[in-house]
Amino acid sequence: MSHYSSLDVLIVEDESHLAVLHREFIEQNFNLRVVGIAPTLAQAKKLLEQYQPRLVLLDNFLPDGQGIELINSSLLKRLDCSVIFITAASDMTTCSQAMRAGAFDYIIKPVSFHRLQSSLTRFLQLTQTLRQVKTLDQQSLDKLFNLPGSEQPQAPLAKGIEPNTLELVRQVFTRDPARNWSVDQVVEQVGISKTTGRRYLEYCVETGFICVEMLYGNIGHPRRLYRMANSSQHSDELGTN
């Protein structure tokens, strides 16, 4: 997305493996610069003062407090900085507090990289629009802030593909994006038949969500292994969980 000028991002996340995945995903897919990774609230405050980034990816449960405290702090309020809240906290109280405090988005762990990509794309679109556009009509405003008036009917999925099952299959890969998965391993995780699993995996390959690799052994047919498409090149350095 080179048509956007580069913006600085701070990642506040105490799980180092996840923080590295977020950084690499951001820097590979967007014209964004990650200026630091903070594992604690105290470190986050220091880096905010130092770099004054335009965006923070903020976890809630940190060793020295909760991220929701940072959203409500005077430090963040005086900076021109948006927050994408990424957390395992799925209770309505935390969610409503974050949104009332002005969080740009709220993503529940385990993180879907498709969902994160959508959030970052909207953030960049909003930033670019605020720079260039002086006035907005209602339709443009609704689309910009993802309001209900802008919703368009989604294209139907392929025959035999059900949205909830598809999301469960995708979550297998987003939880461990650098790992290779066999059909048997995926269907065990999701709780579906092998025939159904193959259908969903091939659909994910066709839509570019995952890629397939052939593992050739000495005997029999080669095995098909699947992995998230945008993380395939990181497998050697990140390993698997």
Side-chain angles (χ1 to χ4, degrees):
M1 298 191 175
S2 58
H3 56 289
Y4 296 117
S5 59
S6 180
L7 299 174
D8 290 345
V9 181
L10 173 65
I11 298 173
V12 183
E13 170 62 65
D14 63 328
E15 296 183 48
S16 58
H17 179 75
L18 184 58
V20 169
L21 284 176
H22 286 168
R23 183 189 68 196
E24 293 179 342
F25 177 79
I26 289 170
E27 292 184 337
Q28 281 204 351
N29 293 279
F30 297 90
N31 188 27
L32 294 168
R33 179 177 57 190
V34 176
V35 293
I37 294 175
T40 65
L41 278 177
Q43 183 68 15
K45 291 174 182 178
K46 290 180 181 178
L47 293 178
L48 279 168
E49 289 279 15
Q50 181 178 355
Y51 293 106
Q52 300 187 10
R54 290 295 306 278
L55 178 66
V56 176
L57 268 59
L58 179 63
D59 186 21
N60 191 42
F61 299 115
L62 298 164
D64 57 345
Q66 294 190 349
I68 193 70
E69 300 171 21
L70 188 60
I71 297 182
N72 287 314
S73 70
S74 58
L75 169 61
L76 204 62
K77 291 183 184 301
R78 67 178 169 81
L79 297 175
D80 184 15
C81 181
S82 299
V83 174
I84 296 178
F85 212 46
I86 300 179
T87 176
S90 57
D91 61 281
M92 183 56 71
T93 300
T94 304
C95 179
S96 61
Q97 284 179 348
M99 301 311 285
R100 283 201 307 270
F104 177 79
D105 204 354
Y106 194 107
I107 301 178
I108 298 174
K109 292 182 178 178
V111 177
S112 161
F113 279 83
H114 177 75
R115 178 66 175 79
L116 179 57
Q117 182 179 37
S118 173
S119 183
L120 291 170
T121 298
R122 286 196 299 111
F123 170 73
L124 287 170
Q125 289 172 343
L126 174 61
T127 302
Q128 188 76 355
T129 300
L130 291 176
R131 285 176 176 174
Q132 296 180 345
V133 178
K134 299 300 183 183
T135 59
L136 292 167
D137 57 27
Q138 187 65 57
Q139 184 177 2
S140 300
L141 183 65
D142 291 342
K143 184 177 181 180
L144 183 62
F145 288 96
N146 200 30
L147 298 176
S150 66
E151 293 178 358
Q152 300 294 331
Q154 294 184 347
L157 298 174
K159 184 177 181 181
I161 301 297
E162 192 272 328
N164 292 334
T165 303
L166 178 61
E167 182 59 25
L168 290 175
V169 171
R170 285 175 169 169
Q171 285 179 7
V172 171
F173 295 92
T174 57
R175 283 195 298 265
D176 199 351
R179 174 177 171 176
N180 283 322
W181 294 86
S182 67
V183 176
D184 291 332
Q185 290 169 328
V186 172
V187 299
E188 182 180 355
Q189 291 283 321
V190 180
I192 54 179
S193 71
K194 199 167 183 177
T195 300
T196 301
R198 284 197 186 99
R199 181 168 69 247
Y200 279 84
L201 287 170
E202 292 308 311
Y203 176 81
C204 288
V205 171
E206 291 173 6
T207 56
F209 181 74
I210 61 175
C211 58
V212 60
E213 296 180 3
M214 305 302 291
L215 179 64
Y216 293 91
N218 295 325
I219 302 175
H221 297 290
R223 293 177 64 203
R224 293 171 68 85
L225 298 178
Y226 302 87
R227 180 169 51 198
M228 273 193 71
N230 60 20
S231 65
S232 59
Q233 59 187 326
H234 301 311
S235 60
D236 291 337
E237 63 182 274
L238 294 179
T240 59
N241 288 334

